[in-house]
Amino acid sequence: MADFSFWVIFSNLLLAARWTVLLSLIAFISGGLVGVVLLFLRTSGVKALAWFVRIYVEVFQGTPLLMQLFLLFFGVALFGIELSPWAAAALALTLWTSAFLVEIWRGCVESVPKGQWEASSSLALNYVEQMRYVILPQALRIAVAPTVGFSVQVIKGTALASIIGFVEVTKAGTMLNNATFRPFLVYSLVALIYFALCFPLSMLAKKLEGRLNVAR
Amino acid sequence: MSPAETRPLVEIKDIRKSFGPLEVLKGISMDVAQGDVVAIIGRSGSGKSTLLRTINGLETFDSGSISVDGTPVIGGEKELKALRRKVGMVFQQFNLFPHLTAAENVALAPKVVLGAGAKEQAETAREMLEKVGLGDKLGNYPSQLSGGQQQRVAIARALAMHPKVLLCDEITSALDPELVNEVLRVVETLAKDGMTLILVTHEMRFARDVGSKLVFMHHGKVHEEGDPKTLFAKPGTPELAQFVGSIG
């Protein structure tokens, strides 16, 4: 039987952590893009569109991310569409992320005073122009800190992708544990890697929040 | 003169509006000719701000009709856009865009709505800000300006679209007393230059001296209207007499 030294375990976990980082980035960026589209629909004032987004948000916030992963990976396969673990994980995390981001951002848009909408309306700007030039630049300042804060949730959320066989750091940990029977060491290292990824982001979010308070 | 020129610039016909069970506008009709300076006065809750806000579509109305320079006030986005290019508005709370400089505030609508180039934007911003006496504040953000200066930027911003009529909604009410005059002087200059103005105001002296027409609103109706000097000297109704007396 192969002898697994500490460094073998650690380096393998680090290699797998690349996929955690990549999946997080994909989920966060594509979730953000979907979130922006949803934000425009949600705040457009068109009732049907706003309702669609509300239901979307309720569904993805009101069910466990794990169930969403299962539905995409196993459920969709029943309809003859085979998704790879990669695709299923990326898609599920994108939908899930967008549902949270749109709600965070909606709050930021709504915190911009009503007078800003009225003044820009009076200048003959249409809805998209108002958002682009008046509302979003102001909402963005408020949104940065909670958005960075939420990225921590996305990174931790990728751990669930291990269950459908996507080999990121958690799945790698499970495999290494099966081979070495050193769960305490392996999972401590896994946790440490997550912490190393998340802690700087939490700190950054706190710092940004503080800076915003000073500026106002 | 052709019939089109004799037609009033703003025609308001029998406007009615309710907020739930409360009827705030009970059939208002009013004509505003080119170059008129109309001062709308009345107690708070008399419907004067609501009336003003219906003219550029910020408030909807239940029945009646409004047209500005032949453009009807109706709900669609395209129609509203056409209307709002002709109607400028200045607000009690200034509502400047805090993330933009004075010059950028003024140039935003010309840039976005009219597609003005960078040079034209800069020229418009300078011209309009000079007009309100703020030619030296182009690069200042709203937070770096006094209330009076902010309101003058807001006026310049509205003028940048070359509106046919300018709506002023209690534009001095949020200002410290010593800053009121600098704003009123700007409005007075506009009036002298022939700008059509509709003002909701509490500045009675200004309404009398600068206004060409006074409208006294009471309980959602035009209670009395006419020449400001005449009406202030000799109110035709006890309500106006009492109102003028209470303001002093």
Side-chain angles (χ1 to χ4, degrees):
Chain A
M1 184 158 169
D3 184 27
F4 286 89
S5 74
F6 173 85
W7 288 110
V8 172
I9 294 172
F10 190 53
S11 60
N12 274 295
L13 285 175
L14 277 182
L15 285 173
R18 291 178 304 172
W19 304 115
T20 293
V21 170
L22 189 64
L23 184 61
S24 301
L25 280 174
I26 289 173
F28 193 69
I29 292 167
S30 52
L33 292 175
V34 175
V36 168
V37 174
L38 292 173
L39 178 68
F40 271 79
L41 301 182
R42 180 68 176 84
T43 57
S44 67
V46 181
K47 277 211 176 96
L49 296 178
W51 267 105
F52 164 75
V53 179
R54 286 174 83 149
I55 292 166
Y56 178 99
V57 167
E58 289 304 328
V59 166
F60 286 102
Q61 289 197 359
T63 58
L65 175 57
L66 187 58
M67 293 307 122
Q68 296 163 25
L69 268 170
F70 281 170
L71 278 173
L72 272 170
F73 188 63
F74 300 117
V76 168
L78 294 179
F79 298 99
I81 305 166
E82 286 277 347
L83 285 181
S84 67
W86 244 120
L91 192 57
L93 279 162
T94 295
L95 297 174
W96 179 80
T97 303
S98 67
F100 280 89
L101 285 180
V102 69
E103 276 302 282
I104 292 172
W105 294 344
R106 182 182 63 86
C108 298
V109 164
E110 284 177 0
S111 72
V112 176
K114 197 166 136 254
Q116 296 289 309
W117 286 99
E118 294 192 342
S120 47
S121 292
S122 300
L123 289 166
L125 273 67
N126 63 31
Y127 167 66
V128 174
E129 292 163 349
Q130 288 177 293
M131 286 289 270
R132 159 90 175 75
Y133 293 101
V134 178
I135 306 300
L136 287 184
Q138 297 180 59
L140 203 67
R141 281 171 45 101
I142 314 167
V144 172
T147 303
V148 172
F150 180 71
S151 65
V152 169
Q153 303 301 323
V154 177
I155 292 175
K156 292 191 290 184
T158 59
L160 290 176
S162 63
I163 295 174
I164 58 169
F166 179 77
V167 184
E168 35 65 78
V169 68
T170 302
K171 179 73 178 174
T174 306
M175 289 156 74
L176 284 163
N177 178 47
N178 288 343
T180 62
F181 304 110
R182 296 169 73 184
F184 192 76
L185 173 70
V186 170
Y187 288 121
S188 295
L189 287 174
V190 170
L192 205 65
I193 289 172
Y194 277 115
F195 188 77
L197 291 171
C198 294
F199 183 66
L201 287 169
S202 309
M203 283 289 106
L204 181 64
K206 280 217 177 67
K207 209 174 151 187
L208 290 167
E209 220 169 286
R211 189 189 296 172
L212 189 72
N213 289 339
V214 171
R216 278 277 156 161
Chain B
M1 243 198 266
S2 73
E5 283 166 33
T6 56
R7 216 177 140 189
L9 184 65
V10 180
E11 280 185 290
I12 301 173
K13 278 187 191 148
D14 200 25
I15 289 296
R16 286 175 185 273
K17 179 185 178 68
S18 300
F19 288 116
L22 181 72
E23 193 173 35
V24 288
L25 299 178
K26 301 173 181 167
I28 306 256
S29 295
M30 188 190 297
D31 285 345
V32 179
Q34 174 83 49
D36 267 356
V37 178
V38 179
I40 304 175
I41 61 170
R43 287 182 207 292
S44 53
S46 61
K48 53 194 193 311
S49 275
T50 308
L51 173 67
L52 195 73
R53 290 159 56 88
T54 57
I55 300 175
N56 75 342
L58 282 184
E59 295 278 358
T60 56
F61 45 89
D62 304 329
S63 67
S65 72
I66 303 178
S67 78
V68 179
D69 191 35
T71 305
V73 179
I74 38 177
E77 183 159 339
K78 244 190 200 148
E79 290 86 358
L80 276 178
K81 197 163 177 129
L83 172 81
R84 285 166 175 164
R85 286 176 62 161
K86 297 179 177 182
V87 183
M89 184 146 187
V90 185
F91 299 85
Q92 182 176 349
Q93 299 295 340
F94 328 139
N95 296 346
L96 289 182
F97 307 133
H99 59 299
L100 301 178
T101 63
E104 287 166 343
N105 263 278
V106 174
L108 181 69
K111 168 177 138 184
V112 175
V113 179
L114 307 179
K119 200 177 150 218
E120 203 180 329
Q121 286 174 40
E123 277 167 11
T124 305
R126 177 173 293 281
E127 184 194 341
M128 295 303 154
L129 285 170
E130 274 170 3
K131 202 178 238 181
V132 298
L134 292 172
D136 57 336
K137 302 285 185 195
L138 269 76
N140 289 54
Y141 284 91
S143 58
Q144 301 167 320
L145 299 171
S146 74
Q149 290 170 334
Q150 288 189 50
Q151 193 59 296
R152 282 146 69 198
V153 173
I155 293 171
R157 180 176 70 176
L159 293 178
M161 293 294 279
H162 300 289
K164 304 255 180 184
V165 52
L166 189 62
L167 311 177
C168 299
D169 190 4
E170 300 194 27
I171 61 171
T172 56
S173 298
L175 294 175
D176 291 336
E178 73 271 18
L179 301 176
V180 168
N181 275 329
E182 61 182 84
V183 172
L184 291 184
R185 269 203 306 277
V186 168
V187 179
E188 193 174 350
T189 313
L190 292 178
K192 280 191 180 131
D193 289 348
M195 171 63 83
T196 309
L197 293 158
I198 306 177
L199 315 113
V200 167
T201 184
H202 291 295
E203 300 291 332
M204 293 303 140
R205 193 183 303 158
F206 184 79
R208 188 187 62 205
D209 296 344
V210 181
S212 65
K213 185 174 173 183
L214 187 76
V215 174
F216 173 58
M217 283 189 66
H218 190 65
H219 293 319
K221 286 184 174 161
V222 174
H223 201 69
E224 214 174 320
E225 62 182 315
D227 173 63
K229 293 185 182 63
T230 318
L231 282 187
F232 275 117
K234 228 178 136 190
T237 61
E239 287 79 12
L240 178 56
Q242 197 193 9
F243 180 71
V244 171
S246 70
I247 296 279

PDB file of all heavy atoms in Angstrom, chain B residues 173-189:
ATOM      1  N   SER B 173     -38.229  75.947  -0.640  1.00  0.00           N
ATOM      2  CA  SER B 173     -38.741  75.528   0.680  1.00  0.00           C
ATOM      3  C   SER B 173     -37.720  74.768   1.507  1.00  0.00           C
ATOM      4  O   SER B 173     -37.818  74.730   2.727  1.00  0.00           O
ATOM      5  CB  SER B 173     -39.985  74.657   0.508  1.00  0.00           C
ATOM      6  OG  SER B 173     -40.993  75.405  -0.117  1.00  0.00           O
ATOM      7  N   ALA B 174     -36.734  74.128   0.847  1.00  0.00           N
ATOM      8  CA  ALA B 174     -35.755  73.358   1.610  1.00  0.00           C
ATOM      9  C   ALA B 174     -34.497  74.172   1.890  1.00  0.00           C
ATOM     10  O   ALA B 174     -33.526  73.639   2.402  1.00  0.00           O
ATOM     11  CB  ALA B 174     -35.391  72.081   0.853  1.00  0.00           C
ATOM     12  N   LEU B 175     -34.525  75.452   1.556  1.00  0.00           N
ATOM     13  CA  LEU B 175     -33.314  76.271   1.680  1.00  0.00           C
ATOM     14  C   LEU B 175     -33.303  77.082   2.971  1.00  0.00           C
ATOM     15  O   LEU B 175     -34.350  77.500   3.458  1.00  0.00           O
ATOM     16  CB  LEU B 175     -33.215  77.244   0.500  1.00  0.00           C
ATOM     17  CG  LEU B 175     -33.016  76.625  -0.876  1.00  0.00           C
ATOM     18  CD1 LEU B 175     -33.073  77.706  -1.941  1.00  0.00           C
ATOM     19  CD2 LEU B 175     -31.691  75.896  -0.950  1.00  0.00           C
ATOM     20  N   ASP B 176     -32.102  77.313   3.486  1.00  0.00           N
ATOM     21  CA  ASP B 176     -31.963  78.244   4.595  1.00  0.00           C
ATOM     22  C   ASP B 176     -32.383  79.626   4.102  1.00  0.00           C
ATOM     23  O   ASP B 176     -32.155  79.972   2.941  1.00  0.00           O
ATOM     24  CB  ASP B 176     -30.505  78.297   5.076  1.00  0.00           C
ATOM     25  CG  ASP B 176     -30.085  76.993   5.740  1.00  0.00           C
ATOM     26  OD1 ASP B 176     -30.983  76.281   6.229  1.00  0.00           O
ATOM     27  OD2 ASP B 176     -28.880  76.684   5.747  1.00  0.00           O
ATOM     28  N   PRO B 177     -32.997  80.437   4.989  1.00  0.00           N
ATOM     29  CA  PRO B 177     -33.555  81.724   4.552  1.00  0.00           C
ATOM     30  C   PRO B 177     -32.560  82.598   3.772  1.00  0.00           C
ATOM     31  O   PRO B 177     -32.941  83.241   2.792  1.00  0.00           O
ATOM     32  CB  PRO B 177     -33.937  82.388   5.869  1.00  0.00           C
ATOM     33  CG  PRO B 177     -34.149  81.275   6.822  1.00  0.00           C
ATOM     34  CD  PRO B 177     -33.242  80.174   6.402  1.00  0.00           C
ATOM     35  N   GLU B 178     -31.293  82.576   4.178  1.00  0.00           N
ATOM     36  CA  GLU B 178     -30.348  83.478   3.517  1.00  0.00           C
ATOM     37  C   GLU B 178     -29.979  83.008   2.114  1.00  0.00           C
ATOM     38  O   GLU B 178     -29.330  83.728   1.364  1.00  0.00           O
ATOM     39  CB  GLU B 178     -29.096  83.687   4.380  1.00  0.00           C
ATOM     40  CG  GLU B 178     -28.142  82.505   4.431  1.00  0.00           C
ATOM     41  CD  GLU B 178     -28.479  81.517   5.555  1.00  0.00           C
ATOM     42  OE1 GLU B 178     -29.624  81.547   6.068  1.00  0.00           O
ATOM     43  OE2 GLU B 178     -27.607  80.703   5.901  1.00  0.00           O
ATOM     44  N   LEU B 179     -30.392  81.773   1.755  1.00  0.00           N
ATOM     45  CA  LEU B 179     -30.044  81.247   0.437  1.00  0.00           C
ATOM     46  C   LEU B 179     -31.211  81.346  -0.552  1.00  0.00           C
ATOM     47  O   LEU B 179     -31.067  81.038  -1.725  1.00  0.00           O
ATOM     48  CB  LEU B 179     -29.608  79.780   0.550  1.00  0.00           C
ATOM     49  CG  LEU B 179     -28.412  79.520   1.463  1.00  0.00           C
ATOM     50  CD1 LEU B 179     -28.142  78.027   1.567  1.00  0.00           C
ATOM     51  CD2 LEU B 179     -27.183  80.242   0.951  1.00  0.00           C
ATOM     52  N   VAL B 180     -32.372  81.773  -0.035  1.00  0.00           N
ATOM     53  CA  VAL B 180     -33.568  81.796  -0.873  1.00  0.00           C
ATOM     54  C   VAL B 180     -33.418  82.794  -2.019  1.00  0.00           C
ATOM     55  O   VAL B 180     -33.746  82.497  -3.168  1.00  0.00           O
ATOM     56  CB  VAL B 180     -34.814  82.126  -0.018  1.00  0.00           C
ATOM     57  CG1 VAL B 180     -36.018  82.450  -0.894  1.00  0.00           C
ATOM     58  CG2 VAL B 180     -35.140  80.957   0.905  1.00  0.00           C
ATOM     59  N   ASN B 181     -32.873  83.965  -1.696  1.00  0.00           N
ATOM     60  CA  ASN B 181     -32.858  85.029  -2.691  1.00  0.00           C
ATOM     61  C   ASN B 181     -32.027  84.728  -3.927  1.00  0.00           C
ATOM     62  O   ASN B 181     -32.410  85.080  -5.034  1.00  0.00           O
ATOM     63  CB  ASN B 181     -32.383  86.332  -2.052  1.00  0.00           C
ATOM     64  CG  ASN B 181     -33.559  87.048  -1.393  1.00  0.00           C
ATOM     65  OD1 ASN B 181     -34.688  86.917  -1.862  1.00  0.00           O
ATOM     66  ND2 ASN B 181     -33.297  87.756  -0.308  1.00  0.00           N
ATOM     67  N   GLU B 182     -30.882  84.060  -3.729  1.00  0.00           N
ATOM     68  CA  GLU B 182     -30.041  83.783  -4.895  1.00  0.00           C
ATOM     69  C   GLU B 182     -30.778  82.895  -5.899  1.00  0.00           C
ATOM     70  O   GLU B 182     -30.596  83.033  -7.106  1.00  0.00           O
ATOM     71  CB  GLU B 182     -28.713  83.143  -4.467  1.00  0.00           C
ATOM     72  CG  GLU B 182     -28.850  81.811  -3.757  1.00  0.00           C
ATOM     73  CD  GLU B 182     -27.494  81.254  -3.306  1.00  0.00           C
ATOM     74  OE1 GLU B 182     -26.996  81.627  -2.226  1.00  0.00           O
ATOM     75  OE2 GLU B 182     -26.936  80.443  -4.050  1.00  0.00           O
ATOM     76  N   VAL B 183     -31.623  82.001  -5.384  1.00  0.00           N
ATOM     77  CA  VAL B 183     -32.390  81.130  -6.279  1.00  0.00           C
ATOM     78  C   VAL B 183     -33.518  81.919  -6.936  1.00  0.00           C
ATOM     79  O   VAL B 183     -33.751  81.810  -8.150  1.00  0.00           O
ATOM     80  CB  VAL B 183     -32.939  79.909  -5.509  1.00  0.00           C
ATOM     81  CG1 VAL B 183     -33.892  79.102  -6.378  1.00  0.00           C
ATOM     82  CG2 VAL B 183     -31.786  79.030  -5.035  1.00  0.00           C
ATOM     83  N   LEU B 184     -34.202  82.738  -6.139  1.00  0.00           N
ATOM     84  CA  LEU B 184     -35.302  83.519  -6.701  1.00  0.00           C
ATOM     85  C   LEU B 184     -34.820  84.484  -7.770  1.00  0.00           C
ATOM     86  O   LEU B 184     -35.498  84.720  -8.775  1.00  0.00           O
ATOM     87  CB  LEU B 184     -36.036  84.275  -5.588  1.00  0.00           C
ATOM     88  CG  LEU B 184     -36.827  83.391  -4.617  1.00  0.00           C
ATOM     89  CD1 LEU B 184     -37.587  84.249  -3.604  1.00  0.00           C
ATOM     90  CD2 LEU B 184     -37.798  82.473  -5.352  1.00  0.00           C
ATOM     91  N   ARG B 185     -33.621  85.047  -7.540  1.00  0.00           N
ATOM     92  CA  ARG B 185     -33.079  85.972  -8.550  1.00  0.00           C
ATOM     93  C   ARG B 185     -32.879  85.281  -9.893  1.00  0.00           C
ATOM     94  O   ARG B 185     -33.150  85.841 -10.948  1.00  0.00           O
ATOM     95  CB  ARG B 185     -31.747  86.572  -8.068  1.00  0.00           C
ATOM     96  CG  ARG B 185     -31.928  87.887  -7.306  1.00  0.00           C
ATOM     97  CD  ARG B 185     -30.649  88.723  -7.326  1.00  0.00           C
ATOM     98  NE  ARG B 185     -29.501  87.968  -6.835  1.00  0.00           N
ATOM     99  CZ  ARG B 185     -29.200  87.825  -5.536  1.00  0.00           C
ATOM    100  NH1 ARG B 185     -29.954  88.399  -4.616  1.00  0.00           N
ATOM    101  NH2 ARG B 185     -28.156  87.138  -5.162  1.00  0.00           N
ATOM    102  N   VAL B 186     -32.394  84.025  -9.839  1.00  0.00           N
ATOM    103  CA  VAL B 186     -32.203  83.260 -11.077  1.00  0.00           C
ATOM    104  C   VAL B 186     -33.546  83.048 -11.780  1.00  0.00           C
ATOM    105  O   VAL B 186     -33.681  83.247 -12.994  1.00  0.00           O
ATOM    106  CB  VAL B 186     -31.525  81.897 -10.785  1.00  0.00           C
ATOM    107  CG1 VAL B 186     -31.588  80.992 -12.003  1.00  0.00           C
ATOM    108  CG2 VAL B 186     -30.084  82.110 -10.354  1.00  0.00           C
ATOM    109  N   VAL B 187     -34.557  82.693 -10.981  1.00  0.00           N
ATOM    110  CA  VAL B 187     -35.880  82.450 -11.570  1.00  0.00           C
ATOM    111  C   VAL B 187     -36.441  83.743 -12.170  1.00  0.00           C
ATOM    112  O   VAL B 187     -37.036  83.748 -13.252  1.00  0.00           O
ATOM    113  CB  VAL B 187     -36.847  81.871 -10.516  1.00  0.00           C
ATOM    114  CG1 VAL B 187     -38.228  81.647 -11.118  1.00  0.00           C
ATOM    115  CG2 VAL B 187     -36.306  80.574  -9.955  1.00  0.00           C
ATOM    116  N   GLU B 188     -36.184  84.838 -11.482  1.00  0.00           N
ATOM    117  CA  GLU B 188     -36.665  86.128 -11.972  1.00  0.00           C
ATOM    118  C   GLU B 188     -36.016  86.474 -13.320  1.00  0.00           C
ATOM    119  O   GLU B 188     -36.682  86.956 -14.240  1.00  0.00           O
ATOM    120  CB  GLU B 188     -36.352  87.216 -10.936  1.00  0.00           C
ATOM    121  CG  GLU B 188     -37.088  88.503 -11.203  1.00  0.00           C
ATOM    122  CD  GLU B 188     -36.876  89.534 -10.091  1.00  0.00           C
ATOM    123  OE1 GLU B 188     -36.316  89.163  -9.028  1.00  0.00           O
ATOM    124  OE2 GLU B 188     -37.256  90.690 -10.301  1.00  0.00           O
ATOM    125  N   THR B 189     -34.731  86.196 -13.426  1.00  0.00           N
ATOM    126  CA  THR B 189     -34.032  86.446 -14.686  1.00  0.00           C
ATOM    127  C   THR B 189     -34.637  85.601 -15.811  1.00  0.00           C
ATOM    128  O   THR B 189     -34.844  86.086 -16.926  1.00  0.00           O
ATOM    129  CB  THR B 189     -32.534  86.086 -14.546  1.00  0.00           C
ATOM    130  OG1 THR B 189     -32.063  86.657 -13.338  1.00  0.00           O
ATOM    131  CG2 THR B 189     -31.736  86.616 -15.712  1.00  0.00           C
TER     132      THR B 189
END
